[in-house]
Structure formats: structure tokens, C-alpha cells
Amino acid sequence: MNKDQRKILIIVENLPVPFDTRVWQEATTLAANGYTVSVICPKGKGYDSEYEFLQGVHIYRHDLPKEGNGALGYAREYLSALRHEYRLAKRVYAERGFHVIQGCNPPDNIYMVAKRFRKYGVDYVFDHHDICPELFEAKFGHRSGLLYKSQLWLERKTYANCKFAFVTNESYKKIAIERGGMDPADVHVLRSGPRLERLKIQPSKPEIKRGRKFMVGYLGVIGQQEGIEYLLEAARLLRSKGRDDIFWGIVGGGPHLEALRRKATEMGLDDIVEFTGRVPDDVMLDYLNTADVCVNPDEYNEMNDKSTMNKVLEYMALGKPIVQFDLTEGRYSAQEASLYAQRNYAPDLAAKIEQLLDDPDMRRRMSEFGRRRIVEELSWDHTSRALLSAYDTYFKNRGL
């Protein structure tokens, strides 16, 4: 049977497509390899059409209430999403059908939609993006209460209801096996490797540096757990030492953006620190290609230690030497492309940044290593093989 008779529905709740890079890479890769692919996602980030057909992928979007806070807020958000997901899944099933629902967390509740289609022979595949119990702890600082226990329960139920799972790294695979009770053979490491055609190495634009000799770059979500306070403190410490030759470009948007802008102002850093907010890809590439060093200041916690950060891989794809705190998956990704600062300690983060800025030969060696590691091992061209192999095996076992 032809692959175009292999039909997959992907559901993602927390980000729209194609803004969600991992989901979009998965969907377009499957479509390019002959699968019939539909995606259900929320509206937002400039993607407000209820239906689009892009690059061979059918995209269905729904409204979503404002992100919840507290038990009632989260319950309202999740229930609204589940209603829309089920409504749209019924529409997709009627229009073109599907053999599999692939649920992309957070949250860990999309299996509830898939269960409604089990009677039609539809299986559930879990795409584990975030470890929700650890994410809860990182946000709220505790492992107790009804909401935390609900995260553990939903994770267990998700794994109990899935046919097989994709995970982003070996740390997540261990959780799937030990906490989720999965057979190791049914857990596939699918790393979110960058697409090299998107991340192009280009000439720097010195005007971005505002007349400074060096630039330190950051790309990512501006949230409470991203550790950008450590980055601002590192900037303050280096300036206090007389290092007025460094510009700090912080690219990205998020809920903590305005608070961090105010903090930078209070610290007297407005002339050397810029928060760009969310920008188009071409502007993002201008900033990162201009940076001499890129930084991942994610603080140490269970969530960050076990998670693979896309920004680290993107820095490497652009040939940028990195400074970050010493976290398990961050070290696995970057290896010799990074210096590793003492966890959650801004003075050492500042010291490592200064060491790298003052050593052009070290920067060159780290740049070459990182770029080579992406090209030869960690780009999407390599990592996506796990996606295609798992689905090919699954459908062959179904006789499709």
C-alpha cells in the first residue's frame, strides 16, 4: 500500500503551527515522505486562519483562552483545548481520516482525544516535548499539592495509552521507561535538530553592536525560568570591571520581557543591553551572526538539566562558541563547543564569557567543533531518521 494511504493527525496545544519548529519539522518531513498529515493547533503568533494547507500539511486552528493561572485557570484552558481538539479531530477524520494521533505535550492530556477514536482502530503516539512535573516545579517551586500530583498522574496515563513514544533525549527516555513504564523498544529518541537551510551563516552587521567591540547574543523565550537575570548580572559585573566594550543582544519575546527590561534599566544597562522582543527570522539571524559569543543562561533545575534546549543547537549551527551553566543535556549537545560555568552563579558566567571574548583562537576552535557536530550528527537531516523509521515500522506492522 502506498505511503499516501498512511495518515497521521498531529495535535499540539501550546503553540501554533508552523511557529512550533519541532512540530512543523515533523509534519513537513512526514508529508515530504508521502504521508497524509493533518495538524490541530491553537491560533496565535500571527497564525489566525482556521484552516491552511501549507507545504503538504493540512492545518486546523482553534481559539484558546488566555493562559491559565491556578487550578481553575488551567482547568478552563485545558478543557477548552480538549473540546476544540475533539471537534476538529472529528472533522479531520470525516474529511480524510487518520490511523494515528500524535499528541505533542504540554499538557499531558491529549491522549483523552485519542481514546475517543480507539474504536476506529486509531492508535496514540506520544511526542514528549516537556517533562510536565519538572516544569511545574520549575514554575512554582514545589512538588506538592493537587496540581503537581495531577501532572504525575497525567504523565502516567499518557504513557499507559500510547503505542510508542518519541522523546527529545536520553534523559527523557529514562523517564519514559522508569516513570512511564514503557518498553525501551517503544521509546524513540527524536532530537529537535535544526534545519541548516533555515540557519544560514551570513556576514555580521557591526552596526548592531552600538559601537562596542564585542557582542554577546541570546536567543529564546523571555520567561521566568530562562535565567536571563544571570545574564544581566554578568553584564553588570563585567561593566563594573571596566569592560565597556561588550554589547548584549537579547532576542526573543515572552511573558517576562517587560519585567526584565525594567530590571536592566534599574541596573543602568540600557546603553549596552538590548531586548529586541520577538523578531522575524532574518533579524534574528542578523543578531546571532553578529554575536561573538552566545549564551544559554538557563538555571539549574530538574527541568532544565534534563531538557535539550533548541537555542544551543541553533548557536552551534551558526558556528557560535557558547557559554552556559553546567547542565546534563546542555553538555551533551554542545560538548567542546561550550564553556561551562558553575551552576546558577553569575560571577562564573561572567568570567567564562570574558575568557572566551579575550581568546579568539578558542572561539574559532569551538565554532568549528559546534558547526561540524551539527552538520555531521545533530541537524534535522540526521535526527529526523528516527521519526521516519519509527513510523515506517509501525505502518508496516499494520500492513499499510
Side-chain angles (χ1 to χ4, degrees):
M1 191 171 285
N2 295 328
K3 281 186 180 178
D4 61 4
Q5 295 175 285
R6 299 174 171 185
K7 301 176 181 181
I8 299 170
L9 170 62
I10 300 174
I11 300 178
V12 56
E13 180 174 322
N14 65 328
L15 287 174
V17 167
F19 183 80
D20 189 314
T21 302
R22 177 180 171 94
V23 175
W24 188 236
Q25 289 185 170
E26 291 172 344
T28 53
T29 296
L30 289 166
N33 281 272
Y35 290 81
T36 298
V37 182
S38 306
V39 175
I40 294 172
C41 65
K43 297 177 182 177
K45 308 288 186 183
Y47 300 103
D48 298 317
S49 299
E50 293 189 353
Y51 172 80
E52 281 190 280
F53 183 67
L54 296 175
Q55 297 183 41
V57 178
H58 303 270
I59 306 171
Y60 298 78
R61 302 189 186 98
H62 59 82
D63 294 315
L64 197 63
K66 187 177 179 180
E67 185 176 348
N69 286 305
L72 290 177
Y74 284 117
R76 182 173 63 253
E77 177 189 349
Y78 294 164
L79 288 173
S80 174
L82 286 171
R83 283 197 298 269
H84 284 301
E85 288 158 6
Y86 180 53
R87 171 179 62 82
L88 290 172
K90 288 194 294 182
R91 176 180 168 184
V92 174
Y93 194 80
E95 291 179 358
R96 69 185 56 84
F98 46 83
H99 302 98
V100 168
I101 291 179
Q102 176 179 311
C104 308
N105 83 329
D108 293 337
N109 62 9
I110 299 172
Y111 76 91
M112 297 179 185
V113 177
K115 285 183 71 173
R116 306 291 293 271
F117 293 88
R118 188 178 293 167
K119 60 188 175 183
Y120 305 117
V122 172
D123 286 319
Y124 185 57
V125 172
F126 182 36
D127 188 9
H128 201 171
H129 294 195
D130 290 313
I131 38 179
C132 289
E134 284 79 1
L135 179 59
F136 178 93
E137 182 186 6
K139 281 187 174 183
F140 302 108
H142 62 86
R143 299 184 183 185
S144 60
L146 181 61
L147 277 177
Y148 177 75
K149 292 177 181 177
S150 73
Q151 302 307 300
L152 291 170
W153 183 81
L154 285 169
E155 184 184 79
R156 287 195 299 270
K157 295 292 287 183
T158 290
Y159 273 117
N161 281 277
C162 75
K163 187 74 172 180
F164 62 90
F166 296 114
V167 295
T168 59
N169 56 44
E170 294 293 338
S171 295
Y172 279 31
K173 182 171 184 177
K174 184 177 180 182
I175 287 172
I177 295 166
E178 295 181 357
R179 210 157 70 192
M182 291 290 289
D183 183 332
D186 293 329
V187 184
H188 306 275
V189 176
L190 174 60
R191 297 184 181 276
S192 299
R195 272 189 165 138
L196 292 175
E197 59 267 29
R198 172 177 171 261
L199 296 167
K200 298 182 184 299
I201 297 177
Q202 300 166 173
S204 66
K205 293 193 172 182
E207 62 270 21
I208 290 176
K209 297 183 180 182
R210 297 186 183 178
R212 267 70 185 186
K213 180 179 180 180
F214 298 113
M215 176 178 166
V216 175
Y218 169 88
L219 168 68
V221 175
I222 312 298
Q224 289 180 307
Q225 275 66 52
E226 272 61 46
I228 299 171
E229 290 87 351
Y230 296 110
L231 191 58
L232 294 179
E233 180 62 13
R236 187 194 67 78
L237 287 168
L238 288 174
R239 168 170 265 189
S240 72
K241 290 180 58 179
R243 295 300 302 255
D244 206 32
D245 57 346
I246 307 170
F247 172 71
W248 307 71
I250 301 174
V251 179
H256 208 38
L257 177 59
E258 293 307 317
L260 286 167
R261 280 179 170 154
R262 291 192 296 271
K263 185 175 182 66
T265 300
E266 293 166 3
M267 297 171 74
L269 299 175
D270 283 345
D271 60 326
I272 61 169
V273 173
E274 179 185 9
F275 289 90
T276 68
R278 184 181 165 217
V279 295
D281 274 3
D282 59 340
V283 177
M284 176 270 290
L285 286 172
D286 285 342
Y287 272 75
L288 292 190
N289 277 299
T290 301
D292 299 283
V293 169
C294 286
V295 180
N296 173 30
D298 287 334
E299 66 179 6
Y300 172 79
N301 55 43
E302 289 295 319
M303 172 70 185
N304 289 341
D305 189 55
K306 292 179 170 64
S307 298
T308 298
M309 301 304 175
N310 289 341
K311 54 181 168 280
V312 171
L313 301 174
E314 291 171 343
Y315 296 159
M316 294 164 64
L318 292 170
K320 295 300 169 180
I322 303 164
V323 177
Q324 59 183 316
F325 292 127
D326 193 0
L327 306 182
T328 299
E329 290 298 335
R331 182 178 279 274
Y332 174 86
S333 293
Q335 297 183 5
E336 296 173 31
S338 181
L339 296 182
Y340 301 93
Q342 181 180 337
R343 294 171 173 178
N344 303 351
Y345 188 54
D348 197 35
L349 187 71
K352 294 295 193 297
I353 291 170
E354 185 174 36
Q355 176 187 355
L356 199 46
L357 289 175
D358 290 342
D359 193 333
D361 288 338
M362 181 185 292
R363 295 203 306 272
R364 177 185 54 77
R365 291 193 302 271
M366 292 168 63
S367 168
E368 292 172 353
F369 178 90
R371 173 71 180 181
R372 185 168 61 250
R373 179 157 165 74
I374 294 294
V375 170
E376 295 179 358
E377 298 179 63
L378 296 179
S379 72
W380 183 246
D381 284 346
H382 295 289
T383 60
S384 62
R385 294 170 188 168
L387 174 76
L388 296 173
S389 175
Y391 269 124
D392 190 49
T393 298
Y394 165 78
F395 278 106
K396 283 180 177 176
N397 289 339
R398 284 194 62 158
L400 296 173

